[in-house]
Amino acid sequence: MSNNITKGLATILIGMIIWFIPVPDGLTPQAWHLFALMVAIIIGFILQPVPVGAVAFIGITVIVLTETLKLSETLSGFSSGAIWLIVSAFLFARGFIKTGLGRRIAYLILRAIGDSTLKVGYALALSDLILAPATPSSAARAGGIIFPIARSLASALDSEPGPTGRKAGAYFLQVIYQTEAVVCAMFLTAMAGNPMIVELAAKTIGVEITWGTWALAACVPGIIAFITIPWLMYIVYPPELKKIPQAKIIADTELKKMGAISFHEKVLAAVFFVALILWCTSGWNGLNATTVAMVAVSCLLITQVLTWDNVVKETGAWDTLIWMGSLVGLAGQLSVTGFIPWFADAASHSMSGFSWISTLLLLVVIYMYSHYAFASLTAHISAMYAAFIAVAVAAGAPPYLVALSLAFTANICLPITHYSGAPGPIYYGAGYVDLGTWWKLGFLFSVVNLIIWIGVGSMWWKVLGFW
């Protein structure tokens, strides 16, 4: 309790200090005070004296009480389609967990290709990838569905934390955790913060990114990274076991325990497939991603794959609605009041001796490794994404290149530490990988991901005509 009080006081103190600093030239008091309160909210997200949703709720209340913004302006983010897209995706994910379809998919892939440690690594990662478009929570996907399978498989191979950890378990968990960053980056609906990125890019630099555009931009660097990481992990952090034909037997046994595919699983699979098609063809069908997601959830409710009780109890969705809706609205108001343009202009002048290429690369590297100070991708996005893309564009960088480079960087920084993403504590807590090794592997694969996503990715986006 006392620790939370200290964190709360620190959050308030930082906000007050910035509030009472003289307003810089070129800014209105309203813009500066909004910035002060936004910083306090973000510090609250990082320190968490109370849960993140509570921090956001208290923050927007203070903004209204201080008359920094009108009530309608403060709550403007809750009308954002991106927010309701992510809520719908959370509900979609609940269907995969409730029906068991997520586990069935993982075991089917494992039974098909899992006769060696390397192939099992790919099978587990591929299961994660297939679930990603409809599962915006890495904790639910990698932690709730994939982790129990990987952990049970390791135990079946007599690989437990400690002396036998390197037989297979350590490799499995590191492969999943490192590829999780790639999986989050490949789809707009694969990580809760991605729709926020889309909103910020549109409001800050006028770049519109659809579900299909995101997937198209991510497909080449994503596939390359997805193929590279399990293989490279096999080289730099090899498992002691190489051939494990019993993995297929284990998967087959588990599938037999699950029995025949249920009616609700069939319905969910059909709805998921149709939603993917509609998301990918939005340019032709005229349906935006949020509309498609809401139609899909409605179908699940009508067919009783999901009950309204399931919806009400999906706390992750409603928690995300509160804090993300608050942040999206406030971030938009930072631009409206003039703070973001002012900051971009000031920062670009301080980098006047740099080319736009150097500026963008510097911002990407800073964004990537500043994540050592964050335990949440979404908190990191809310703190830095809008400001960084504004600075890069002000320096002359092509807007689409900027938006995509920093959007994907915001995902691939996930596994650099054991606390930097929601599944981290789950995987580290399993006890298979020591802290020093975890951080070394995290740094190594962060470099690999930067080379692939920014190096190869930028060339792919050039081919697509995005810049």
Side-chain angles (χ1 to χ4, degrees), residues 5-19:
I5 293 174
T6 301
K7 291 176 180 179
L9 291 174
T11 301
I12 295 168
L13 181 62
I14 291 170
M16 291 181 65
I17 289 172
I18 298 173
W19 179 287

PDB file of all heavy atoms in Angstrom, residues 5-19:
ATOM      1  N   ILE A   5       1.200   4.359  -2.711  1.00  0.00           N
ATOM      2  CA  ILE A   5       1.047   5.776  -2.360  1.00  0.00           C
ATOM      3  C   ILE A   5       2.234   6.578  -2.871  1.00  0.00           C
ATOM      4  O   ILE A   5       2.075   7.671  -3.430  1.00  0.00           O
ATOM      5  CB  ILE A   5       0.893   5.938  -0.832  1.00  0.00           C
ATOM      6  CG1 ILE A   5      -0.434   5.332  -0.372  1.00  0.00           C
ATOM      7  CG2 ILE A   5       0.988   7.411  -0.435  1.00  0.00           C
ATOM      8  CD1 ILE A   5      -0.610   5.302   1.135  1.00  0.00           C
ATOM      9  N   THR A   6       3.439   6.018  -2.697  1.00  0.00           N
ATOM     10  CA  THR A   6       4.645   6.699  -3.195  1.00  0.00           C
ATOM     11  C   THR A   6       4.582   6.881  -4.713  1.00  0.00           C
ATOM     12  O   THR A   6       4.906   7.958  -5.241  1.00  0.00           O
ATOM     13  CB  THR A   6       5.900   5.876  -2.830  1.00  0.00           C
ATOM     14  OG1 THR A   6       5.959   5.724  -1.408  1.00  0.00           O
ATOM     15  CG2 THR A   6       7.163   6.564  -3.326  1.00  0.00           C
ATOM     16  N   LYS A   7       4.157   5.830  -5.414  1.00  0.00           N
ATOM     17  CA  LYS A   7       4.039   5.918  -6.867  1.00  0.00           C
ATOM     18  C   LYS A   7       2.994   6.959  -7.269  1.00  0.00           C
ATOM     19  O   LYS A   7       3.187   7.719  -8.230  1.00  0.00           O
ATOM     20  CB  LYS A   7       3.656   4.555  -7.446  1.00  0.00           C
ATOM     21  CG  LYS A   7       4.746   3.498  -7.338  1.00  0.00           C
ATOM     22  CD  LYS A   7       4.247   2.154  -7.854  1.00  0.00           C
ATOM     23  CE  LYS A   7       5.321   1.073  -7.757  1.00  0.00           C
ATOM     24  NZ  LYS A   7       4.814  -0.234  -8.229  1.00  0.00           N
ATOM     25  N   GLY A   8       1.887   6.984  -6.529  1.00  0.00           N
ATOM     26  CA  GLY A   8       0.839   7.954  -6.826  1.00  0.00           C
ATOM     27  C   GLY A   8       1.314   9.376  -6.605  1.00  0.00           C
ATOM     28  O   GLY A   8       1.048  10.274  -7.422  1.00  0.00           O
ATOM     29  N   LEU A   9       2.021   9.610  -5.504  1.00  0.00           N
ATOM     30  CA  LEU A   9       2.541  10.950  -5.218  1.00  0.00           C
ATOM     31  C   LEU A   9       3.570  11.376  -6.263  1.00  0.00           C
ATOM     32  O   LEU A   9       3.603  12.542  -6.674  1.00  0.00           O
ATOM     33  CB  LEU A   9       3.163  10.972  -3.816  1.00  0.00           C
ATOM     34  CG  LEU A   9       2.175  10.845  -2.649  1.00  0.00           C
ATOM     35  CD1 LEU A   9       2.927  10.739  -1.325  1.00  0.00           C
ATOM     36  CD2 LEU A   9       1.210  12.033  -2.620  1.00  0.00           C
ATOM     37  N   ALA A  10       4.403  10.431  -6.696  1.00  0.00           N
ATOM     38  CA  ALA A  10       5.396  10.747  -7.735  1.00  0.00           C
ATOM     39  C   ALA A  10       4.706  11.137  -9.033  1.00  0.00           C
ATOM     40  O   ALA A  10       5.123  12.091  -9.718  1.00  0.00           O
ATOM     41  CB  ALA A  10       6.301   9.538  -7.959  1.00  0.00           C
ATOM     42  N   THR A  11       3.647  10.428  -9.376  1.00  0.00           N
ATOM     43  CA  THR A  11       2.888  10.738 -10.590  1.00  0.00           C
ATOM     44  C   THR A  11       2.310  12.149 -10.525  1.00  0.00           C
ATOM     45  O   THR A  11       2.425  12.938 -11.474  1.00  0.00           O
ATOM     46  CB  THR A  11       1.750   9.721 -10.778  1.00  0.00           C
ATOM     47  OG1 THR A  11       2.305   8.406 -10.872  1.00  0.00           O
ATOM     48  CG2 THR A  11       0.934  10.022 -12.015  1.00  0.00           C
ATOM     49  N   ILE A  12       1.677  12.467  -9.393  1.00  0.00           N
ATOM     50  CA  ILE A  12       1.074  13.798  -9.213  1.00  0.00           C
ATOM     51  C   ILE A  12       2.140  14.886  -9.232  1.00  0.00           C
ATOM     52  O   ILE A  12       1.973  15.941  -9.866  1.00  0.00           O
ATOM     53  CB  ILE A  12       0.285  13.839  -7.897  1.00  0.00           C
ATOM     54  CG1 ILE A  12      -0.911  12.870  -7.968  1.00  0.00           C
ATOM     55  CG2 ILE A  12      -0.188  15.255  -7.586  1.00  0.00           C
ATOM     56  CD1 ILE A  12      -1.586  12.627  -6.636  1.00  0.00           C
ATOM     57  N   LEU A  13       3.259  14.636  -8.550  1.00  0.00           N
ATOM     58  CA  LEU A  13       4.325  15.634  -8.453  1.00  0.00           C
ATOM     59  C   LEU A  13       4.902  15.978  -9.825  1.00  0.00           C
ATOM     60  O   LEU A  13       5.106  17.154 -10.150  1.00  0.00           O
ATOM     61  CB  LEU A  13       5.435  15.120  -7.528  1.00  0.00           C
ATOM     62  CG  LEU A  13       6.630  16.067  -7.310  1.00  0.00           C
ATOM     63  CD1 LEU A  13       6.156  17.361  -6.654  1.00  0.00           C
ATOM     64  CD2 LEU A  13       7.693  15.381  -6.454  1.00  0.00           C
ATOM     65  N   ILE A  14       5.135  14.945 -10.649  1.00  0.00           N
ATOM     66  CA  ILE A  14       5.685  15.192 -11.989  1.00  0.00           C
ATOM     67  C   ILE A  14       4.720  16.037 -12.812  1.00  0.00           C
ATOM     68  O   ILE A  14       5.121  16.994 -13.491  1.00  0.00           O
ATOM     69  CB  ILE A  14       5.987  13.858 -12.696  1.00  0.00           C
ATOM     70  CG1 ILE A  14       7.156  13.154 -12.008  1.00  0.00           C
ATOM     71  CG2 ILE A  14       6.303  14.074 -14.180  1.00  0.00           C
ATOM     72  CD1 ILE A  14       7.375  11.724 -12.464  1.00  0.00           C
ATOM     73  N   GLY A  15       3.431  15.708 -12.733  1.00  0.00           N
ATOM     74  CA  GLY A  15       2.436  16.495 -13.462  1.00  0.00           C
ATOM     75  C   GLY A  15       2.399  17.941 -12.992  1.00  0.00           C
ATOM     76  O   GLY A  15       2.315  18.868 -13.808  1.00  0.00           O
ATOM     77  N   MET A  16       2.472  18.147 -11.687  1.00  0.00           N
ATOM     78  CA  MET A  16       2.412  19.506 -11.138  1.00  0.00           C
ATOM     79  C   MET A  16       3.639  20.322 -11.502  1.00  0.00           C
ATOM     80  O   MET A  16       3.541  21.524 -11.799  1.00  0.00           O
ATOM     81  CB  MET A  16       2.244  19.437  -9.618  1.00  0.00           C
ATOM     82  CG  MET A  16       0.884  18.920  -9.163  1.00  0.00           C
ATOM     83  SD  MET A  16       0.717  18.882  -7.352  1.00  0.00           S
ATOM     84  CE  MET A  16       0.813  20.644  -6.979  1.00  0.00           C
ATOM     85  N   ILE A  17       4.806  19.679 -11.489  1.00  0.00           N
ATOM     86  CA  ILE A  17       6.036  20.400 -11.839  1.00  0.00           C
ATOM     87  C   ILE A  17       5.943  20.926 -13.267  1.00  0.00           C
ATOM     88  O   ILE A  17       6.250  22.096 -13.547  1.00  0.00           O
ATOM     89  CB  ILE A  17       7.266  19.481 -11.669  1.00  0.00           C
ATOM     90  CG1 ILE A  17       7.534  19.231 -10.183  1.00  0.00           C
ATOM     91  CG2 ILE A  17       8.502  20.106 -12.341  1.00  0.00           C
ATOM     92  CD1 ILE A  17       8.606  18.194  -9.921  1.00  0.00           C
ATOM     93  N   ILE A  18       5.521  20.056 -14.185  1.00  0.00           N
ATOM     94  CA  ILE A  18       5.404  20.487 -15.586  1.00  0.00           C
ATOM     95  C   ILE A  18       4.321  21.556 -15.722  1.00  0.00           C
ATOM     96  O   ILE A  18       4.488  22.544 -16.451  1.00  0.00           O
ATOM     97  CB  ILE A  18       5.086  19.279 -16.494  1.00  0.00           C
ATOM     98  CG1 ILE A  18       6.228  18.266 -16.434  1.00  0.00           C
ATOM     99  CG2 ILE A  18       4.865  19.733 -17.939  1.00  0.00           C
ATOM    100  CD1 ILE A  18       5.946  16.977 -17.163  1.00  0.00           C
ATOM    101  N   TRP A  19       3.216  21.397 -15.018  1.00  0.00           N
ATOM    102  CA  TRP A  19       2.112  22.362 -15.079  1.00  0.00           C
ATOM    103  C   TRP A  19       2.588  23.777 -14.748  1.00  0.00           C
ATOM    104  O   TRP A  19       2.215  24.748 -15.414  1.00  0.00           O
ATOM    105  CB  TRP A  19       1.015  21.921 -14.116  1.00  0.00           C
ATOM    106  CG  TRP A  19      -0.186  22.834 -14.056  1.00  0.00           C
ATOM    107  CD1 TRP A  19      -0.251  24.074 -13.464  1.00  0.00           C
ATOM    108  CD2 TRP A  19      -1.491  22.591 -14.591  1.00  0.00           C
ATOM    109  NE1 TRP A  19      -1.505  24.611 -13.589  1.00  0.00           N
ATOM    110  CE2 TRP A  19      -2.290  23.720 -14.293  1.00  0.00           C
ATOM    111  CE3 TRP A  19      -2.066  21.535 -15.288  1.00  0.00           C
ATOM    112  CZ2 TRP A  19      -3.635  23.823 -14.652  1.00  0.00           C
ATOM    113  CZ3 TRP A  19      -3.402  21.629 -15.656  1.00  0.00           C
ATOM    114  CH2 TRP A  19      -4.169  22.748 -15.356  1.00  0.00           C
TER     115      TRP A  19
END
